[in-house]
Amino acid sequence: MLTLVAFWNAFKPYLAFVVIVLLTVLVAWLVNGLVGRLMRQSAPQAAGAARRVAAIVVALIGGTLALQTLGISPAILLLVIGLLGVTVLVALREPLGNYGSKYFADLYTPFRVGDTIKVLGWSGKVLEVNAMSTILLSDDEQLVSVPNSAMIRDVVVNTSPQAWKEVVVPISISGNVDLPAFESDLHKSLSKLRFRLDRRFPPVVTTKSRTPQSTDLSLILMLRRPEDRESLVVEVNKRVAETLDRVRGAKR
Amino acid sequence: MAGLSICINTQTPLVQFLEPSDGVLVGADPRTSVVLEGLREGIDYRFSPGGVTRMVHPMVRRLLEKGVLREAHWVAFNPRGPRTVQMGEMTLHHVSIGTERMDGYGKVKEAIWGRIHEIDSAPQHDDLFWTEAFAEYAYYNRLTAEQIQRLDEEHDFDVFYVHDFQQLPVGHMLGTLKPKIFRWHIPFDVSVIPDHWRALLSTYLDSYDVIVVSARRYAASLAALGPRGRILQLPPYVDPAEYSRPAPREAAKSCARFGIQRADQLALVVGRMDPIKGQDRAIEAFRQIAAEFPSVKLVLVGNGSFSGSKQGLGLPKSAGWRAHLEELVRAAGLEDRVVFTGHVNQTELDALYERCWFTILPSVREGFGLVAVESWLHGKPTIVTRRSGIAELIQDGSNGLLFDPEDPDGLAQQMRLLLDRRSAELRSRLVRNGRSTSKKCSLDEAEAAEGALLAEVTEA
């Protein structure tokens, strides 16, 4: 009997650890879904990032609590995480700034690869937007690398013809989504907005990159009136999210 | 050079699977893979008729034989076919969409086709790319692109060769930097393309490194749209070795099947049952000369296209058009003078070419018109619509006779010329010069051009 009690006492913290980890996974999954729902009208990339951040926060809290059951002090754990975070931020301030700017530039700056832009006194065709910088080909065929942080801080002028019309919506879908069905449904959904769009330019879905886990697409639309831009982006993002939900649901 | 790995994409499949009377449809299960060698041509399957497959297949075979190609994979729409078909060194892959999507896909491709051929200028089609039907068209093309992408991961192709206007979006959807060639088989006249279509067509065309068209005037018109890639004019072609004279007994047997007597003089029209093929023009012209030449019969060879067949989209166009033509024949009192053969096999087709007095290509619009080349290869004079790509190769009265498809009187006049007892010299000149012209559309001539094109885009 005594052996059983001793075993239970020894085993209890591990059981609690496992239960907390499982609960953490469950809560992270629920929070991920909840944030996704709350951000339905945001750009899919922004919604995806928010979902990941929320899930990581839940995982950190759950992980700390779980480790506490094993006798590891949460204060020390938080201190280590905090110090590591500060060190990383200080060491990688510039690259992280550029990376973050790239992320926001993808979502909110009004240009894309192929456009001609002016920034920091440079003018050229955008060849590439990588994690750190935006590469321009200047008129005299020089390659110009502009840090992405400049795209957020400074004035960027898109001089491409009809640039004001163009709305580029980045879409990232996981590898298990039926892409043909998604694109087809999206066309149907967007056809309802045709009176807000320039009918000479139907929506174009382009594959940007692809891995077994996910496919990055860009959806290009052309506005009919410039003042519709903001509301249209919200509406299109909502329709993209709804279409993704529908296609995932149909697959299940 | 080790030879290139190529992926070909067409809408029409090279092989269609038939419902044999003695068994189960071979291709009924789209999950299966079959080896063609074990199956019976004409019973289990048949080769798709029509210019595209008839042209592409011999070329691929030839390039494989010569080692220009190392392997060839051919992706096509075939909802009633097995998943893959092994055919010698070539593998056929089939794409299938659900019946609920076929209607929309069919509507869009027919609307594009009708507008390009100037037979359907309905203003509601200006907004075609915003319709729900277009979503199904996009679905089919994306599905095809996904299949090609998966094959590319497996085979690492050197080049993609996409044929047919229906497949145009595939290049854009592929999202690869590898070289892509597109062959536009139908006419191209930028002035008939609605403003609302141009941006999307340009986006799709821009994804190709080379766009091949069949006639000089199509190339000039396409240039006005300013595609990113190079425009190449290259006439379609056939393999002359596939055209043989049937044995007299075989020819007589085939003709007897269609009620054709030894004394009959045949005016032959070969083409699918479709308003664009202009069989109504041929019937009207024939009506005008029928009394003058009582021994002449008009023979209309052809059935529906793959899209109209139950193996394909099941579009009802061909049945309706044939009923209309039969009504025209009845109204003209020519029931015993006009023969509708439907689909014929190669032996029967050879027999009809062999027995005919001349051929007519009466199309309202025709991307090229390989039927005229077939006629030359069989040593028969041909009367050709001016609204065809091949008309660029024809000098009226030298290697063929031309007519305007809106002028049946003109066609009747050309038919009279060839039926006239004193026409022997004209007929022999047309045949002699036609045979010489046919070399421009032969596999041998095209092999060098296609080989050079593949070498150019792959820098092999």
Side-chain angles (χ1 to χ4, degrees), chain A residues 179-181 183-184 187-188 191-192 194 198-207 210, chain B residues 101 127 129-130 132 134-136 138-139 142-143 146 149 172-173 195-196 199-200 203:
Chain A
L179 176 55
E183 182 174 353
S184 175
H187 274 292
K188 285 180 191 169
S191 71
K192 305 279 194 296
R194 64 183 179 276
D198 186 333
R199 289 191 301 163
R200 292 171 304 163
F201 301 94
V204 175
V205 177
T206 305
T207 311
R210 166 197 293 268
Chain B
R101 293 190 189 269
D127 274 344
F129 300 150
W130 291 94
E132 292 212 352
F134 180 73
E136 312 302 5
Y139 177 88
R142 179 64 76 174
L143 196 67
E146 291 282 287
Q149 200 106 38
H172 175 82
M173 291 172 171
D195 278 353
H196 289 193
L200 193 62
T203 300

mmCIF file of all heavy atoms in Angstrom, chain A residues 179-181 183-184 187-188 191-192 194 198-207 210, chain B residues 101 127 129-130 132 134-136 138-139 142-143 146 149 172-173 195-196 199-200 203:
data_model
loop_
_atom_site.group_PDB
_atom_site.id
_atom_site.type_symbol
_atom_site.label_atom_id
_atom_site.label_comp_id
_atom_site.label_asym_id
_atom_site.label_seq_id
_atom_site.Cartn_x
_atom_site.Cartn_y
_atom_site.Cartn_z
ATOM 1 N N LEU A 179 -6.356 23.748 -54.041
ATOM 2 C CA LEU A 179 -6.116 25.037 -54.690
ATOM 3 C C LEU A 179 -7.076 25.311 -55.849
ATOM 4 O O LEU A 179 -7.636 26.418 -55.941
ATOM 5 C CB LEU A 179 -4.646 25.124 -55.144
ATOM 6 C CG LEU A 179 -4.233 26.365 -55.926
ATOM 7 C CD1 LEU A 179 -4.546 27.649 -55.178
ATOM 8 C CD2 LEU A 179 -2.743 26.302 -56.258
ATOM 9 N N PRO A 180 -7.300 24.346 -56.770
ATOM 10 C CA PRO A 180 -8.252 24.641 -57.852
ATOM 11 C C PRO A 180 -9.643 25.012 -57.329
ATOM 12 O O PRO A 180 -10.275 25.945 -57.831
ATOM 13 C CB PRO A 180 -8.291 23.324 -58.648
ATOM 14 C CG PRO A 180 -6.971 22.678 -58.382
ATOM 15 C CD PRO A 180 -6.653 23.028 -56.961
ATOM 16 N N ALA A 181 -10.106 24.288 -56.296
ATOM 17 C CA ALA A 181 -11.441 24.591 -55.742
ATOM 18 C C ALA A 181 -11.431 25.968 -55.082
ATOM 19 O O ALA A 181 -12.384 26.744 -55.218
ATOM 20 C CB ALA A 181 -11.839 23.510 -54.741
ATOM 21 N N GLU A 183 -9.465 28.578 -55.799
ATOM 22 C CA GLU A 183 -9.401 29.636 -56.811
ATOM 23 C C GLU A 183 -10.749 29.794 -57.521
ATOM 24 O O GLU A 183 -11.208 30.905 -57.767
ATOM 25 C CB GLU A 183 -8.304 29.311 -57.826
ATOM 26 C CG GLU A 183 -8.148 30.391 -58.875
ATOM 27 C CD GLU A 183 -6.965 30.158 -59.808
ATOM 28 O OE1 GLU A 183 -6.184 29.220 -59.568
ATOM 29 O OE2 GLU A 183 -6.823 30.938 -60.751
ATOM 30 N N SER A 184 -11.356 28.656 -57.818
ATOM 31 C CA SER A 184 -12.637 28.688 -58.505
ATOM 32 C C SER A 184 -13.701 29.387 -57.640
ATOM 33 O O SER A 184 -14.434 30.270 -58.102
ATOM 34 C CB SER A 184 -13.060 27.252 -58.830
ATOM 35 O OG SER A 184 -14.329 27.220 -59.375
ATOM 36 N N HIS A 187 -13.097 33.138 -57.430
ATOM 37 C CA HIS A 187 -13.577 33.846 -58.625
ATOM 38 C C HIS A 187 -15.081 34.109 -58.513
ATOM 39 O O HIS A 187 -15.549 35.202 -58.825
ATOM 40 C CB HIS A 187 -13.299 33.024 -59.884
ATOM 41 C CG HIS A 187 -11.929 33.248 -60.452
ATOM 42 N ND1 HIS A 187 -11.549 34.431 -61.028
ATOM 43 C CD2 HIS A 187 -10.852 32.438 -60.542
ATOM 44 C CE1 HIS A 187 -10.286 34.343 -61.438
ATOM 45 N NE2 HIS A 187 -9.837 33.146 -61.153
ATOM 46 N N LYS A 188 -15.800 33.073 -58.079
ATOM 47 C CA LYS A 188 -17.251 33.238 -57.946
ATOM 48 C C LYS A 188 -17.574 34.336 -56.946
ATOM 49 O O LYS A 188 -18.441 35.174 -57.178
ATOM 50 C CB LYS A 188 -17.892 31.918 -57.489
ATOM 51 C CG LYS A 188 -17.982 30.885 -58.582
ATOM 52 C CD LYS A 188 -18.626 29.612 -58.069
ATOM 53 C CE LYS A 188 -18.461 28.503 -59.096
ATOM 54 N NZ LYS A 188 -18.808 27.189 -58.600
ATOM 55 N N SER A 191 -16.706 37.834 -58.205
ATOM 56 C CA SER A 191 -17.534 38.343 -59.303
ATOM 57 C C SER A 191 -18.667 39.222 -58.760
ATOM 58 O O SER A 191 -19.198 40.077 -59.459
ATOM 59 C CB SER A 191 -18.087 37.191 -60.136
ATOM 60 O OG SER A 191 -19.072 36.497 -59.417
ATOM 61 N N LYS A 192 -19.008 39.019 -57.470
ATOM 62 C CA LYS A 192 -20.056 39.859 -56.841
ATOM 63 C C LYS A 192 -19.571 41.299 -56.660
ATOM 64 O O LYS A 192 -20.366 42.198 -56.434
ATOM 65 C CB LYS A 192 -20.432 39.272 -55.473
ATOM 66 C CG LYS A 192 -20.855 37.819 -55.495
ATOM 67 C CD LYS A 192 -22.292 37.673 -55.923
ATOM 68 C CE LYS A 192 -22.858 36.292 -55.631
ATOM 69 N NZ LYS A 192 -22.217 35.208 -56.347
ATOM 70 N N ARG A 194 -17.800 42.967 -58.911
ATOM 71 C CA ARG A 194 -17.307 43.474 -60.196
ATOM 72 C C ARG A 194 -17.704 44.927 -60.457
ATOM 73 O O ARG A 194 -17.029 45.630 -61.195
ATOM 74 C CB ARG A 194 -17.740 42.571 -61.340
ATOM 75 C CG ARG A 194 -19.214 42.475 -61.592
ATOM 76 C CD ARG A 194 -19.470 41.478 -62.714
ATOM 77 N NE ARG A 194 -20.858 41.301 -63.000
ATOM 78 C CZ ARG A 194 -21.662 40.466 -62.340
ATOM 79 N NH1 ARG A 194 -21.183 39.746 -61.341
ATOM 80 N NH2 ARG A 194 -22.929 40.351 -62.660
ATOM 81 N N ASP A 198 -12.525 47.519 -62.078
ATOM 82 C CA ASP A 198 -12.406 47.816 -63.497
ATOM 83 C C ASP A 198 -12.625 46.516 -64.258
ATOM 84 O O ASP A 198 -11.821 45.582 -64.154
ATOM 85 C CB ASP A 198 -11.010 48.387 -63.787
ATOM 86 C CG ASP A 198 -10.873 48.864 -65.223
ATOM 87 O OD1 ASP A 198 -11.586 48.326 -66.092
ATOM 88 O OD2 ASP A 198 -10.064 49.777 -65.468
ATOM 89 N N ARG A 199 -13.692 46.457 -65.030
ATOM 90 C CA ARG A 199 -14.082 45.177 -65.629
ATOM 91 C C ARG A 199 -13.140 44.734 -66.744
ATOM 92 O O ARG A 199 -13.215 43.614 -67.220
ATOM 93 C CB ARG A 199 -15.522 45.258 -66.129
ATOM 94 C CG ARG A 199 -16.508 45.303 -64.967
ATOM 95 C CD ARG A 199 -17.905 45.117 -65.424
ATOM 96 N NE ARG A 199 -18.276 46.148 -66.386
ATOM 97 C CZ ARG A 199 -19.323 46.057 -67.192
ATOM 98 N NH1 ARG A 199 -20.083 45.001 -67.150
ATOM 99 N NH2 ARG A 199 -19.614 47.026 -68.031
ATOM 100 N N ARG A 200 -12.260 45.638 -67.160
ATOM 101 C CA ARG A 200 -11.284 45.231 -68.182
ATOM 102 C C ARG A 200 -10.183 44.361 -67.578
ATOM 103 O O ARG A 200 -9.394 43.768 -68.290
ATOM 104 C CB ARG A 200 -10.645 46.460 -68.824
ATOM 105 C CG ARG A 200 -11.610 47.277 -69.674
ATOM 106 C CD ARG A 200 -10.965 48.577 -70.081
ATOM 107 N NE ARG A 200 -10.523 49.326 -68.907
ATOM 108 C CZ ARG A 200 -9.657 50.326 -68.938
ATOM 109 N NH1 ARG A 200 -9.115 50.685 -70.076
ATOM 110 N NH2 ARG A 200 -9.312 50.966 -67.837
ATOM 111 N N PHE A 201 -10.132 44.341 -66.238
ATOM 112 C CA PHE A 201 -9.052 43.598 -65.569
ATOM 113 C C PHE A 201 -9.646 42.605 -64.577
ATOM 114 O O PHE A 201 -9.762 42.901 -63.388
ATOM 115 C CB PHE A 201 -8.113 44.571 -64.833
ATOM 116 C CG PHE A 201 -7.471 45.578 -65.733
ATOM 117 C CD1 PHE A 201 -8.037 46.835 -65.920
ATOM 118 C CD2 PHE A 201 -6.311 45.267 -66.419
ATOM 119 C CE1 PHE A 201 -7.450 47.764 -66.761
ATOM 120 C CE2 PHE A 201 -5.714 46.192 -67.272
ATOM 121 C CZ PHE A 201 -6.293 47.453 -67.438
ATOM 122 N N PRO A 202 -10.028 41.442 -65.056
ATOM 123 C CA PRO A 202 -10.586 40.439 -64.128
ATOM 124 C C PRO A 202 -9.529 40.022 -63.097
ATOM 125 O O PRO A 202 -8.332 40.204 -63.330
ATOM 126 C CB PRO A 202 -10.937 39.263 -65.045
ATOM 127 C CG PRO A 202 -10.931 39.806 -66.429
ATOM 128 C CD PRO A 202 -9.981 40.950 -66.440
ATOM 129 N N PRO A 203 -9.974 39.470 -61.960
ATOM 130 C CA PRO A 203 -9.013 39.057 -60.922
ATOM 131 C C PRO A 203 -8.015 38.045 -61.480
ATOM 132 O O PRO A 203 -8.388 37.160 -62.254
ATOM 133 C CB PRO A 203 -9.886 38.388 -59.856
ATOM 134 C CG PRO A 203 -11.273 38.833 -60.143
ATOM 135 C CD PRO A 203 -11.359 39.154 -61.586
ATOM 136 N N VAL A 204 -6.766 38.210 -61.077
ATOM 137 C CA VAL A 204 -5.723 37.267 -61.510
ATOM 138 C C VAL A 204 -5.071 36.674 -60.265
ATOM 139 O O VAL A 204 -4.616 37.411 -59.392
ATOM 140 C CB VAL A 204 -4.651 37.962 -62.368
ATOM 141 C CG1 VAL A 204 -3.531 36.983 -62.704
ATOM 142 C CG2 VAL A 204 -5.259 38.516 -63.647
ATOM 143 N N VAL A 205 -5.070 35.365 -60.181
ATOM 144 C CA VAL A 205 -4.405 34.670 -59.073
ATOM 145 C C VAL A 205 -3.072 34.127 -59.599
ATOM 146 O O VAL A 205 -3.043 33.404 -60.586
ATOM 147 C CB VAL A 205 -5.279 33.513 -58.541
ATOM 148 C CG1 VAL A 205 -4.551 32.755 -57.435
ATOM 149 C CG2 VAL A 205 -6.610 34.035 -58.030
ATOM 150 N N THR A 206 -1.996 34.511 -58.940
ATOM 151 C CA THR A 206 -0.659 34.092 -59.379
ATOM 152 C C THR A 206 0.030 33.320 -58.265
ATOM 153 O O THR A 206 -0.041 33.720 -57.097
ATOM 154 C CB THR A 206 0.188 35.337 -59.730
ATOM 155 O OG1 THR A 206 -0.523 36.106 -60.690
ATOM 156 C CG2 THR A 206 1.538 34.941 -60.305
ATOM 157 N N THR A 207 0.671 32.223 -58.631
ATOM 158 C CA THR A 207 1.427 31.442 -57.643
ATOM 159 C C THR A 207 2.781 32.105 -57.433
ATOM 160 O O THR A 207 3.544 32.259 -58.390
ATOM 161 C CB THR A 207 1.641 30.001 -58.145
ATOM 162 O OG1 THR A 207 0.393 29.497 -58.601
ATOM 163 C CG2 THR A 207 2.192 29.108 -57.046
ATOM 164 N N ARG A 210 5.847 27.916 -53.546
ATOM 165 C CA ARG A 210 5.122 26.710 -53.149
ATOM 166 C C ARG A 210 6.065 25.767 -52.419
ATOM 167 O O ARG A 210 7.212 25.571 -52.815
ATOM 168 C CB ARG A 210 4.596 26.084 -54.437
ATOM 169 C CG ARG A 210 4.086 24.689 -54.374
ATOM 170 C CD ARG A 210 4.015 24.138 -55.777
ATOM 171 N NE ARG A 210 3.005 24.830 -56.563
ATOM 172 C CZ ARG A 210 1.752 24.417 -56.657
ATOM 173 N NH1 ARG A 210 1.349 23.349 -56.057
ATOM 174 N NH2 ARG A 210 0.898 25.076 -57.398
ATOM 175 N N ARG B 101 -19.034 20.733 -63.153
ATOM 176 C CA ARG B 101 -18.182 21.847 -63.597
ATOM 177 C C ARG B 101 -18.045 21.898 -65.121
ATOM 178 O O ARG B 101 -17.568 22.880 -65.665
ATOM 179 C CB ARG B 101 -16.781 21.718 -62.996
ATOM 180 C CG ARG B 101 -16.749 21.888 -61.487
ATOM 181 C CD ARG B 101 -15.322 21.992 -61.008
ATOM 182 N NE ARG B 101 -15.202 21.952 -59.573
ATOM 183 C CZ ARG B 101 -15.222 23.037 -58.781
ATOM 184 N NH1 ARG B 101 -15.358 24.235 -59.314
ATOM 185 N NH2 ARG B 101 -15.094 22.911 -57.487
ATOM 186 N N ASP B 127 -18.246 40.335 -70.669
ATOM 187 C CA ASP B 127 -17.964 40.143 -69.239
ATOM 188 C C ASP B 127 -17.753 38.669 -68.888
ATOM 189 O O ASP B 127 -17.917 38.273 -67.728
ATOM 190 C CB ASP B 127 -19.112 40.707 -68.396
ATOM 191 C CG ASP B 127 -18.908 42.192 -68.140
ATOM 192 O OD1 ASP B 127 -17.779 42.676 -68.344
ATOM 193 O OD2 ASP B 127 -19.877 42.867 -67.733
ATOM 194 N N PHE B 129 -15.242 36.852 -68.325
ATOM 195 C CA PHE B 129 -14.257 36.477 -67.301
ATOM 196 C C PHE B 129 -14.718 36.846 -65.888
ATOM 197 O O PHE B 129 -13.978 36.638 -64.921
ATOM 198 C CB PHE B 129 -12.903 37.118 -67.610
ATOM 199 C CG PHE B 129 -12.334 36.698 -68.943
ATOM 200 C CD1 PHE B 129 -11.513 37.547 -69.664
ATOM 201 C CD2 PHE B 129 -12.633 35.466 -69.490
ATOM 202 C CE1 PHE B 129 -10.993 37.163 -70.899
ATOM 203 C CE2 PHE B 129 -12.127 35.071 -70.723
ATOM 204 C CZ PHE B 129 -11.307 35.929 -71.420
ATOM 205 N N TRP B 130 -15.914 37.434 -65.782
ATOM 206 C CA TRP B 130 -16.472 37.744 -64.465
ATOM 207 C C TRP B 130 -17.609 36.794 -64.107
ATOM 208 O O TRP B 130 -18.245 36.959 -63.070
ATOM 209 C CB TRP B 130 -17.001 39.183 -64.450
ATOM 210 C CG TRP B 130 -15.928 40.205 -64.531
ATOM 211 C CD1 TRP B 130 -15.456 40.814 -65.655
ATOM 212 C CD2 TRP B 130 -15.157 40.726 -63.453
ATOM 213 N NE1 TRP B 130 -14.449 41.678 -65.334
ATOM 214 C CE2 TRP B 130 -14.245 41.661 -63.997
ATOM 215 C CE3 TRP B 130 -15.150 40.505 -62.073
ATOM 216 C CZ2 TRP B 130 -13.336 42.360 -63.214
ATOM 217 C CZ3 TRP B 130 -14.250 41.213 -61.297
ATOM 218 C CH2 TRP B 130 -13.352 42.127 -61.864
ATOM 219 N N GLU B 132 -19.698 33.182 -63.314
ATOM 220 C CA GLU B 132 -19.470 31.976 -62.507
ATOM 221 C C GLU B 132 -18.919 30.851 -63.392
ATOM 222 O O GLU B 132 -18.140 30.015 -62.937
ATOM 223 C CB GLU B 132 -20.765 31.533 -61.829
ATOM 224 C CG GLU B 132 -21.224 32.518 -60.772
ATOM 225 C CD GLU B 132 -21.936 31.849 -59.615
ATOM 226 O OE1 GLU B 132 -22.214 30.646 -59.697
ATOM 227 O OE2 GLU B 132 -22.209 32.561 -58.621
ATOM 228 N N PHE B 134 -16.782 31.167 -65.653
ATOM 229 C CA PHE B 134 -15.324 31.341 -65.763
ATOM 230 C C PHE B 134 -14.612 30.683 -64.578
ATOM 231 O O PHE B 134 -13.482 30.204 -64.722
ATOM 232 C CB PHE B 134 -14.962 32.828 -65.840
ATOM 233 C CG PHE B 134 -13.479 33.043 -65.961
ATOM 234 C CD1 PHE B 134 -12.811 32.763 -67.153
ATOM 235 C CD2 PHE B 134 -12.734 33.479 -64.879
ATOM 236 C CE1 PHE B 134 -11.442 32.924 -67.256
ATOM 237 C CE2 PHE B 134 -11.360 33.644 -64.978
ATOM 238 C CZ PHE B 134 -10.712 33.367 -66.166
ATOM 239 N N ALA B 135 -15.293 30.659 -63.437
ATOM 240 C CA ALA B 135 -14.690 30.009 -62.259
ATOM 241 C C ALA B 135 -14.416 28.531 -62.567
ATOM 242 O O ALA B 135 -13.418 27.967 -62.110
ATOM 243 C CB ALA B 135 -15.606 30.148 -61.054
ATOM 244 N N GLU B 136 -15.294 27.914 -63.340
ATOM 245 C CA GLU B 136 -15.102 26.496 -63.688
ATOM 246 C C GLU B 136 -13.979 26.345 -64.723
ATOM 247 O O GLU B 136 -13.223 25.367 -64.694
ATOM 248 C CB GLU B 136 -16.402 25.883 -64.236
ATOM 249 C CG GLU B 136 -17.652 26.153 -63.411
ATOM 250 C CD GLU B 136 -17.567 25.674 -61.972
ATOM 251 O OE1 GLU B 136 -16.500 25.206 -61.543
ATOM 252 O OE2 GLU B 136 -18.584 25.812 -61.260
ATOM 253 N N ALA B 138 -11.431 28.346 -64.881
ATOM 254 C CA ALA B 138 -10.205 28.527 -64.086
ATOM 255 C C ALA B 138 -9.909 27.249 -63.306
ATOM 256 O O ALA B 138 -8.745 26.838 -63.180
ATOM 257 C CB ALA B 138 -10.360 29.703 -63.130
ATOM 258 N N TYR B 139 -10.961 26.615 -62.791
ATOM 259 C CA TYR B 139 -10.778 25.369 -62.024
ATOM 260 C C TYR B 139 -10.074 24.324 -62.898
ATOM 261 O O TYR B 139 -9.088 23.712 -62.476
ATOM 262 C CB TYR B 139 -12.139 24.836 -61.559
ATOM 263 C CG TYR B 139 -12.051 23.518 -60.827
ATOM 264 C CD1 TYR B 139 -11.847 23.491 -59.452
ATOM 265 C CD2 TYR B 139 -12.166 22.314 -61.510
ATOM 266 C CE1 TYR B 139 -11.742 22.285 -58.783
ATOM 267 C CE2 TYR B 139 -12.056 21.105 -60.848
ATOM 268 C CZ TYR B 139 -11.854 21.093 -59.476
ATOM 269 O OH TYR B 139 -11.741 19.900 -58.825
ATOM 270 N N ARG B 142 -6.461 25.280 -63.565
ATOM 271 C CA ARG B 142 -5.619 25.168 -62.358
ATOM 272 C C ARG B 142 -5.372 23.691 -62.038
ATOM 273 O O ARG B 142 -4.280 23.301 -61.665
ATOM 274 C CB ARG B 142 -6.283 25.900 -61.186
ATOM 275 C CG ARG B 142 -5.538 25.831 -59.886
ATOM 276 C CD ARG B 142 -4.197 26.514 -59.926
ATOM 277 N NE ARG B 142 -4.286 27.957 -59.868
ATOM 278 C CZ ARG B 142 -3.216 28.751 -59.776
ATOM 279 N NH1 ARG B 142 -1.991 28.243 -59.731
ATOM 280 N NH2 ARG B 142 -3.359 30.063 -59.767
ATOM 281 N N LEU B 143 -6.413 22.880 -62.216
ATOM 282 C CA LEU B 143 -6.266 21.446 -61.953
ATOM 283 C C LEU B 143 -5.206 20.845 -62.889
ATOM 284 O O LEU B 143 -4.363 20.042 -62.463
ATOM 285 C CB LEU B 143 -7.613 20.753 -62.183
ATOM 286 C CG LEU B 143 -7.790 19.364 -61.612
ATOM 287 C CD1 LEU B 143 -7.802 19.394 -60.103
ATOM 288 C CD2 LEU B 143 -9.110 18.754 -62.104
ATOM 289 N N GLU B 146 -1.813 22.010 -61.780
ATOM 290 C CA GLU B 146 -1.382 21.285 -60.574
ATOM 291 C C GLU B 146 -0.856 19.894 -60.943
ATOM 292 O O GLU B 146 0.137 19.434 -60.399
ATOM 293 C CB GLU B 146 -2.556 21.146 -59.598
ATOM 294 C CG GLU B 146 -2.994 22.453 -58.970
ATOM 295 C CD GLU B 146 -2.073 22.867 -57.853
ATOM 296 O OE1 GLU B 146 -2.114 22.246 -56.781
ATOM 297 O OE2 GLU B 146 -1.294 23.820 -58.066
ATOM 298 N N GLN B 149 2.453 20.295 -62.509
ATOM 299 C CA GLN B 149 3.423 20.650 -61.451
ATOM 300 C C GLN B 149 3.888 19.397 -60.698
ATOM 301 O O GLN B 149 5.076 19.228 -60.428
ATOM 302 C CB GLN B 149 2.740 21.604 -60.471
ATOM 303 C CG GLN B 149 3.680 22.417 -59.644
ATOM 304 C CD GLN B 149 3.728 23.852 -60.114
ATOM 305 O OE1 GLN B 149 2.713 24.395 -60.496
ATOM 306 N NE2 GLN B 149 4.897 24.452 -60.081
ATOM 307 N N HIS B 172 0.547 30.457 -67.082
ATOM 308 C CA HIS B 172 0.570 31.417 -65.974
ATOM 309 C C HIS B 172 0.429 30.693 -64.637
ATOM 310 O O HIS B 172 1.106 31.023 -63.661
ATOM 311 C CB HIS B 172 -0.573 32.416 -66.168
ATOM 312 C CG HIS B 172 -0.720 33.377 -65.047
ATOM 313 N ND1 HIS B 172 0.053 34.507 -64.927
ATOM 314 C CD2 HIS B 172 -1.533 33.373 -63.967
ATOM 315 C CE1 HIS B 172 -0.276 35.158 -63.839
ATOM 316 N NE2 HIS B 172 -1.251 34.490 -63.237
ATOM 317 N N MET B 173 -0.439 29.686 -64.619
ATOM 318 C CA MET B 173 -0.716 28.986 -63.362
ATOM 319 C C MET B 173 0.439 28.076 -62.940
ATOM 320 O O MET B 173 0.528 27.711 -61.772
ATOM 321 C CB MET B 173 -2.009 28.182 -63.487
ATOM 322 C CG MET B 173 -3.240 29.071 -63.594
ATOM 323 S SD MET B 173 -4.708 28.105 -63.970
ATOM 324 C CE MET B 173 -6.000 29.358 -63.764
ATOM 325 N N ASP B 195 -12.360 44.550 -75.608
ATOM 326 C CA ASP B 195 -11.480 45.282 -74.674
ATOM 327 C C ASP B 195 -11.397 44.576 -73.323
ATOM 328 O O ASP B 195 -10.349 44.536 -72.703
ATOM 329 C CB ASP B 195 -12.031 46.694 -74.437
ATOM 330 C CG ASP B 195 -11.613 47.614 -75.566
ATOM 331 O OD1 ASP B 195 -10.813 47.162 -76.416
ATOM 332 O OD2 ASP B 195 -12.109 48.756 -75.602
ATOM 333 N N HIS B 196 -12.550 44.041 -72.893
ATOM 334 C CA HIS B 196 -12.615 43.436 -71.553
ATOM 335 C C HIS B 196 -11.840 42.124 -71.456
ATOM 336 O O HIS B 196 -11.684 41.591 -70.373
ATOM 337 C CB HIS B 196 -14.081 43.201 -71.150
ATOM 338 C CG HIS B 196 -14.805 44.466 -70.866
ATOM 339 N ND1 HIS B 196 -16.021 44.507 -70.240
ATOM 340 C CD2 HIS B 196 -14.471 45.748 -71.111
ATOM 341 C CE1 HIS B 196 -16.409 45.767 -70.125
ATOM 342 N NE2 HIS B 196 -15.484 46.527 -70.646
ATOM 343 N N ALA B 199 -6.701 42.350 -71.289
ATOM 344 C CA ALA B 199 -5.727 42.360 -70.187
ATOM 345 C C ALA B 199 -5.447 40.936 -69.706
ATOM 346 O O ALA B 199 -4.291 40.548 -69.500
ATOM 347 C CB ALA B 199 -6.248 43.211 -69.041
ATOM 348 N N LEU B 200 -6.519 40.154 -69.547
ATOM 349 C CA LEU B 200 -6.325 38.794 -69.035
ATOM 350 C C LEU B 200 -5.606 37.917 -70.080
ATOM 351 O O LEU B 200 -4.687 37.163 -69.734
ATOM 352 C CB LEU B 200 -7.662 38.163 -68.643
ATOM 353 C CG LEU B 200 -7.554 36.884 -67.818
ATOM 354 C CD1 LEU B 200 -6.860 37.145 -66.489
ATOM 355 C CD2 LEU B 200 -8.915 36.261 -67.551
ATOM 356 N N THR B 203 -2.031 38.803 -69.931
ATOM 357 C CA THR B 203 -1.380 38.224 -68.744
ATOM 358 C C THR B 203 -1.023 36.765 -69.009
ATOM 359 O O THR B 203 0.080 36.311 -68.706
ATOM 360 C CB THR B 203 -2.323 38.310 -67.523
ATOM 361 O OG1 THR B 203 -2.617 39.680 -67.296
ATOM 362 C CG2 THR B 203 -1.702 37.710 -66.278
#
